[in-house]
Amino acid sequence: MDATLRDDVRTLTTWLGRIIREQEGEAFFTKLERLRQLAKATRTRPGASPRAALRVFVERLSAREAQSMARAFTLYFQLVNLAEEHHRLERLRARERDSGAPPLSIEKALESFRRAGVSRARVARAVADLRLEPVFTAHPTEAKRRVVLRHLLRVAELWEEHRRADRSPSERRRSENALLESLEALWQTQPVRQRRVTVEDEVRNVLFFLIGTVPRAAADFWDAWTEAAACLAPGAAPSPRLLTFGTWVGGDRDGNPSVTPDVSRWALAEQRRTALAFYRTAVRDLQSLLTSSASAARVDPAVVKSLNKDRRALPELEDRLRHWERGEYYRAKLWAVEARLVRAQSGDKGGYPGPAGLVDDLVLLRRSLEKNGGARTAHGALRTLERQVRLFGFHLARLDFRQHSGRVRAAAEALAGGRPTTAEWPARVAAGAPRAVPRIAGDGLALREMETLAELQKIHGTRAADHYILSMTGSADDLWAALFLARRAGLVRREGNRWRSTVDIVPLFETVEDLSRAPALMAALWRHPLYRQILDSRGGAQEIMLGYSDSNKDAGYLAANYHLYRAQDALGRAAEKAGVRLRFFHGKGGTIDRGGGPAHRAILAAPRSVPGGRLRITEQGEVIAYKYGRPAVARRNFEQMASAVLTAELMPPGAALSTARRSVYEGVLGEIAEASRRHYRALVYETPGFADYFAQATPIDLIARVEIASRPVFRSGKTKEGSPRVAAAPSLADMRAIPWVFSWTQSRNLLPAWFGAGSALGNFLEEKGAFGRGVLADMYARWPFFAALLDNLELSLAKADLTIAEGYAALVKDRGLRSSIFERIREEHRRTVSALRSITGHASPLERSPVLRESIALRNPYVDSLSALQTRFLRLWRDPRRSPAEREKALGVLLVTLNGIAAGMKSTG
């Protein structure tokens, strides 16, 4: 690890130690260090003795001591994460200084196209077509409270300021005191919520980033794009729709009864209120900056004319104009802009009805400045605000609606008075005017959602809410049913002899079977005249969402990724044949077993994932904080996505592979993926007692009780609340993928990220001998998709720790069940490591990533300490002989360990 990073970690954690000593006393700090040393000894001196000593020490801690120690290690991880992030930014800046642009930047991508001889026309077309849309979701994977996030952002800012080389000793002392003040506040802040999170909390959590760090990053990204295109790709102009944002928070109803139509109305209204407040603040700042006077520099007559019009329409301006210095027309016009924003906030006449009017006023000022000696002023904060309004509008982010396809079909069938066949549905959609069918008494939620979506479009504009996502799509009937409800709500209508729609119905394919059926299903819909007319009214574009989490939970890592790859390829070919513009919406999570990992590499490994240069991707839970917690990191994230999408479009890696060779590779991987799927399902879905093992060997019961999300653990909405014990085995089919992955991550198994791969790869190697090893090694060297697949496997194996996982397995009461299942897990882990070593030639996982390997090693003793605390207090919390007071104290410890292990693993679900 870089020496500078080591020094940063040492300094920050030393200061943390100072705060802990002050707050808890020297005796506590000594115990804390003893726990750390014991955990470290289990790593440096493997064997039963160090582990026994650690177990005895943990058993003797009081609940209060254990909770404070868990808080200490949690804060340690948060500071290490902060230092690593700062170090990564420093490396990027250094590379930019040395080479003019960091790797994976826009400049590097455009320069590589020029060197490769890609025509200017192709580059210009790709740049114009590029569309990026990160979508923030409310999935329960962010364990930190918003107030803790604020403290950590302040620590990050203070730390960056403290490390500046030009700081004087007195300035350093002041910044050190400010940092210690923030660490003291962090120590005294309750790290976990004491009440269940509401949807309103989740909306505010997302707005924390959408309005705090993202606007600056988005404007900077736009500037970088424009400048790079002008210099390196003359004639290439980015689209105004280059970067947009979406959110599921307040619109995702799939299994979340808390998301009602009223909540959706409130969510979009809150987004509008927040956006307008942000613009008002920016306009006030501009009023202090744009003080140019007509006596010193000419002002465009259009500005004067516009101001006179404002004075007639906005009587409240006269009070301010009494104190106006004559000639300061820009400042006076900005007073009028602010007055219109105030009216827009209150809904009064004379306010901006939408963002277009605000953009027009800002452009008016900018052009006047550009023509009259104020170019620098025009291209500073004023242009930044103009770009932010263009990017975010008054709604900030598109609010997606999502509902389970079964609920949608049930509502549509109740309205239709039966169950129409696939052939009958189009006629039902076409027949009758909106509201011609009486309201239903049955499952009408999906209908009310469609009506709410139509209502929101009238208030906020079509762009603010025009996506309806059908989770678990399995047939064409699901889409026809959704269109039937959309027709009932007035979102689909006939105008003359043409059909028009203001909503995109987005199928979400999640299981392996549904992914396999998707190409034929969609091709049939695209051939239907009614469906095609509706699609053409939306620009001829079909959005399809791919579920990474549930496909993995259904079939395991290797099989899920193979079928996702095949589905993208087949859907892309079907769309090309049908003349449909396709956009994939990638439903990825933060972990590898939920589609996580470096987004740029995933895009380049599967170029068909971004057809036409269009990318929509979910950003979930703790990933939002990591990617968007600081403007500089967020901007780099946008740049990396953009450069990867353009490269996939213009110079896709692996393009040199012949059709015949690719066909062989895909056939080999298909055979291995199917074997992997069988082995995974044999354990998870076909082994008697596995659900009981999972319920006891992971903290799933704790996760079901945790207060970090409004959405239940189970799709049906059923929870196990009321008892800390999972009396009956949880329904694995009904369980959501996030708590499934979260549980295995907490227990250090990471089982969904690798199980099944070892047997499939190992059996192939054993059966095919040297030939098989040669084929897989060749695939790893030549095929980017397979290389990324195995490298992600290596990372998951490096993070997993079956020695720690065995401690969780010990919580399983049935010794026979415990032994049989854990030994299968241990053997599969061994086989996976062995197979990867044989294929890649790496002696150990992450051999080629020493910094990442050392980062994991650095964290292990602290995570091990938290795991030891968690297993001890899980046992106590689940013990029915313990008093309610004892179990409540144990729960307090467990909630902090949940947070801490998530921070240490840099991953939840």
Side-chain angles (χ1 to χ4, degrees):
M1 188 178 291
D2 185 274
T4 306
L5 177 55
R6 280 187 176 277
D7 289 342
D8 287 354
V9 169
R10 187 179 299 112
T11 301
L12 284 167
T13 53
T14 298
W15 287 345
L16 175 62
R18 177 175 165 184
I19 294 298
I20 293 171
R21 278 190 173 98
E22 292 172 359
Q23 298 292 313
E24 300 293 324
E26 195 65 41
F28 172 82
F29 188 79
T30 301
K31 276 191 172 184
L32 182 67
E33 276 295 291
R34 177 62 179 157
L35 175 58
R36 186 179 70 86
Q37 291 297 336
L38 286 169
K40 193 173 180 180
T42 64
R43 295 276 172 178
T44 56
R45 295 189 291 114
S49 181
R51 288 200 298 273
L54 175 62
R55 188 165 55 251
V56 168
F57 181 85
V58 167
E59 289 290 339
R60 290 175 177 171
L61 294 173
S62 68
R64 186 188 181 285
E65 288 175 323
Q67 189 166 353
S68 294
M69 288 182 181
R71 286 173 60 205
F73 288 135
T74 301
L75 268 177
Y76 168 83
F77 288 131
Q78 289 167 348
L79 294 179
V80 170
N81 293 343
L82 182 154
E84 288 180 345
E85 180 186 275
H86 178 83
H87 187 67
R88 181 158 58 95
L89 273 177
E90 288 285 297
R91 287 204 310 272
L92 286 168
R93 288 167 182 158
R95 289 174 184 175
E96 193 164 5
R97 287 192 299 269
D98 294 343
S99 62
L104 305 174
S105 67
I106 300 161
E107 293 93 333
K108 290 286 187 184
L110 293 176
E111 179 62 26
S112 69
F113 304 147
R114 188 188 64 78
R115 287 199 309 269
V118 180
S119 71
R120 283 189 177 184
R122 281 191 69 203
V123 173
R125 189 163 55 250
V127 168
D129 289 344
L130 183 65
R131 301 287 188 278
L132 307 175
E133 187 166 332
V135 180
F136 292 3
T137 75
H139 290 342
T141 56
E142 173 54 82
K144 293 186 289 294
R145 294 176 61 204
R146 192 164 63 249
V147 67
V148 172
L149 283 168
R150 286 198 183 98
H151 280 308
L152 289 171
L153 287 174
R154 174 169 163 74
V155 170
E157 291 165 1
L158 289 169
W159 178 245
E160 187 158 357
E161 185 72 13
H162 179 78
R163 291 186 73 257
R164 274 177 39 199
D166 60 348
R167 305 278 284 172
S168 69
S170 61
E171 287 174 327
R172 284 186 177 279
R173 283 193 297 273
R174 282 197 294 273
S175 64
E176 180 179 332
N177 285 333
L179 275 160
L180 288 167
E181 177 188 348
S182 291
L183 291 176
E184 183 179 272
L186 263 173
W187 181 259
Q188 294 183 356
T189 298
Q190 176 66 33
V192 291
R193 297 177 181 89
Q194 299 300 301
R195 60 173 177 83
R196 181 165 290 281
V197 172
T198 65
V199 181
E200 289 80 359
D201 292 325
E202 291 169 337
V203 169
R204 294 187 180 102
N205 283 344
V206 166
L207 289 176
F208 176 80
F209 296 100
L210 265 179
I211 211 65
T213 56
V214 170
R216 176 76 257 177
D220 288 348
F221 169 68
W222 187 285
D223 285 339
W225 243 124
T226 306
E227 292 168 11
C231 294
L232 298 168
S239 163
R241 302 295 302 278
L242 163 67
L243 180 65
T244 53
F245 296 86
T247 175
W248 280 15
V249 192
D252 180 10
R253 289 155 170 73
D254 181 15
N256 190 347
S258 300
V259 181
T260 64
D262 283 343
V263 165
S264 296
R265 294 185 190 97
W266 176 86
L268 208 45
E270 184 68 5
Q271 288 177 206
R272 177 185 172 88
R273 186 199 65 76
T274 304
L276 291 172
F278 175 84
Y279 297 148
R280 277 189 67 191
T281 300
V283 166
R284 284 179 188 149
D285 292 340
L286 283 172
Q287 289 166 6
S288 302
L289 183 65
L290 270 67
T291 55
S292 303
S293 173
S295 63
R298 187 174 176 274
V299 176
D300 223 28
V303 175
V304 179
K305 183 179 177 181
S306 177
L307 177 60
N308 289 334
K309 184 178 177 182
D310 290 332
R311 293 180 73 169
R312 291 191 296 271
L314 305 167
E316 63 268 33
L317 270 183
E318 292 308 317
D319 281 342
R320 299 193 78 170
L321 289 172
R322 288 194 189 97
H323 306 286
W324 180 43
E325 289 292 335
R326 291 280 173 189
E328 291 183 354
Y329 288 103
Y330 298 124
R331 196 176 186 195
K333 178 61 184 175
L334 287 168
W335 288 342
V337 169
E338 184 184 357
R340 290 194 185 277
L341 286 170
V342 170
R343 289 191 175 208
Q345 283 180 298
S346 60
D348 292 341
K349 185 179 178 181
Y352 291 115
L358 175 56
V359 169
D360 288 345
D361 279 344
L362 296 174
V363 169
L364 178 73
L365 296 175
R366 174 171 59 78
R367 288 177 177 167
S368 177
L369 285 163
E370 287 172 342
K371 289 191 290 185
N372 297 294
R376 289 187 180 85
T377 306
H379 296 164
L382 177 63
R383 188 171 65 175
T384 294
L385 177 58
E386 178 194 330
R387 286 183 169 167
Q388 288 167 339
V389 178
R390 289 183 188 275
L391 288 169
F392 296 96
F394 283 1
H395 62 281
L396 279 183
R398 184 199 320 265
L399 180 64
D400 282 2
F401 280 46
R402 182 173 76 139
Q403 182 56 277
H404 194 283
S405 59
R407 299 291 296 270
V408 172
R409 209 167 50 250
E413 288 169 358
L415 274 172
R419 183 171 294 179
T421 65
T422 303
E424 293 171 338
W425 267 121
R428 296 298 183 95
V429 172
R435 302 188 179 278
V437 185
R439 184 175 293 277
I440 56 176
D443 188 350
L445 176 61
L447 173 60
R448 292 199 302 277
E449 291 163 3
M450 288 288 190
E451 292 174 340
T452 304
L453 199 153
E455 175 190 334
L456 292 176
Q457 287 187 355
K458 291 176 183 175
I459 298 170
H460 300 282
T462 304
R463 279 182 59 194
D466 62 351
H467 278 51
Y468 195 97
I469 298 163
L470 295 170
S471 63
M472 289 293 173
T473 298
S475 70
D477 291 3
D478 296 330
L479 282 90
W480 285 119
L483 286 170
F484 178 79
L485 295 181
R487 167 77 168 136
R488 167 68 174 73
L491 294 162
V492 173
R493 58 189 179 274
R494 194 179 183 99
E495 295 180 356
N497 62 350
R498 302 294 296 175
W499 284 94
R500 308 288 296 176
S501 174
T502 58
V503 63
D504 288 334
I505 304 298
V506 182
L508 167 51
F509 298 108
E510 300 182 75
T511 68
V512 163
E513 286 77 11
D514 289 339
L515 286 165
S516 300
R517 288 194 294 262
L521 185 159
M522 296 309 302
L525 282 169
W526 293 332
R527 288 192 298 269
H528 196 284
L530 175 59
Y531 189 90
R532 191 56 183 264
Q533 273 197 39
I534 292 171
L535 196 66
D536 288 345
S537 76
R538 299 293 293 165
Q542 174 74 64
E543 183 167 303
I544 293 175
M545 187 170 182
L546 303 171
Y548 289 72
S549 305
D550 280 285
S551 59
N552 193 305
K553 178 172 171 282
D554 174 53
Y557 170 76
L558 213 58
N561 279 274
Y562 169 75
H563 283 282
L564 284 160
Y565 170 86
R566 289 298 300 271
Q568 290 171 53
D569 190 60
L571 283 163
R573 295 182 194 283
E576 286 174 5
K577 184 177 179 180
V580 168
R581 293 171 57 238
L582 185 63
R583 176 164 79 166
F584 286 124
F585 182 9
H586 299 278
K588 292 173 176 271
T591 56
I592 285 168
D593 34 348
R594 293 191 54 242
H600 64 275
R601 187 175 186 192
I603 292 166
L604 295 176
R608 282 272 188 179
S609 65
V610 285
R614 295 177 289 275
L615 171 67
R616 203 164 191 248
I617 187 169
T618 53
E619 303 285 27
Q620 302 179 5
E622 81 285 347
V623 171
I624 296 175
Y626 292 145
K627 286 187 176 181
Y628 302 97
R630 300 176 70 183
V633 175
R635 177 196 157 184
R636 294 303 184 202
N637 180 55
F638 299 146
E639 287 202 40
Q640 289 175 9
M641 280 196 292
S643 65
V645 172
L646 279 182
T647 302
E649 186 74 4
L650 297 172
M651 288 172 40
L657 281 178
S658 67
T659 303
R661 186 181 290 273
R662 186 182 295 276
S663 178
V664 169
Y665 287 173
E666 290 176 352
V668 169
L669 184 54
E671 178 185 335
I672 292 169
E674 179 55 30
S676 173
R677 177 175 179 263
R678 287 197 302 269
H679 196 74
Y680 171 85
R681 289 190 65 86
L683 173 72
V684 174
Y685 294 105
E686 297 164 16
T687 298
F690 180 81
D692 293 306
Y693 178 91
F694 168 68
Q696 297 173 50
T698 76
I700 181 59
D701 48 348
L702 175 63
I703 291 166
R705 286 282 300 273
V706 78
E707 310 294 346
I708 67 171
S710 66
R711 194 172 72 171
V713 163
F714 297 91
R715 280 189 182 273
S716 64
K718 296 175 182 176
T719 66
K720 302 294 180 180
E721 292 184 31
S723 169
R725 302 174 301 286
V726 179
S731 169
L732 299 186
D734 191 36
M735 181 179 293
R736 294 186 176 277
I738 292 168
W740 166 255
V741 171
F742 197 173
S743 301
W744 290 113
T745 302
Q746 285 278 311
S747 61
R748 308 289 293 282
N749 286 270
L750 278 78
L751 181 141
W754 53 267
F755 195 91
S759 290
L761 291 167
N763 289 343
F764 184 87
L765 289 168
E766 289 167 10
E767 291 169 9
K768 307 294 184 181
F771 170 77
R773 189 157 36 252
V775 168
L776 294 182
D778 191 57
M779 289 168 62
Y780 182 70
R782 292 171 177 259
W783 191 17
F785 175 72
F786 189 66
L789 204 62
L790 295 200
D791 288 346
N792 281 339
L793 262 179
E794 276 200 343
L795 177 57
S796 297
L797 291 168
K799 284 187 159 188
D801 191 308
L802 291 202
T803 300
I804 302 300
E806 189 173 14
Y808 285 85
L811 298 171
V812 179
K813 295 178 180 179
D814 185 326
R815 292 185 179 181
L817 181 68
R818 175 204 313 164
S819 176
S820 64
I821 290 182
F822 184 74
E823 286 309 313
R824 285 173 69 179
I825 293 172
R826 196 204 308 266
E827 174 59 17
E828 182 67 5
H829 186 273
R830 184 198 65 76
R831 293 200 73 186
T832 310
V833 171
S834 175
L836 286 178
R837 185 185 300 124
S838 180
I839 298 165
T840 65
H842 303 160
S844 61
L846 299 184
E847 182 182 89
R848 295 188 305 175
S849 304
V851 173
L852 182 55
R853 188 175 68 244
E854 188 169 355
S855 175
I856 292 171
L858 179 71
R859 294 161 183 271
N860 275 335
Y862 301 88
V863 183
D864 294 353
S865 301
L866 289 165
S867 295
L869 291 169
Q870 191 176 85
T871 51
R872 180 214 160 172
F873 284 93
L874 272 174
R875 188 179 292 110
L876 193 158
W877 181 57
R878 291 170 175 174
D879 187 348
R881 297 167 297 179
R882 300 287 185 166
S883 68
E886 287 179 297
R887 291 207 296 266
E888 190 63 27
K889 288 179 181 178
L891 179 61
V893 178
L894 290 170
L895 292 177
V896 182
T897 63
L898 203 71
N899 197 324
I901 294 172
M905 301 289 286
K906 293 186 82 169
S907 176
T908 52

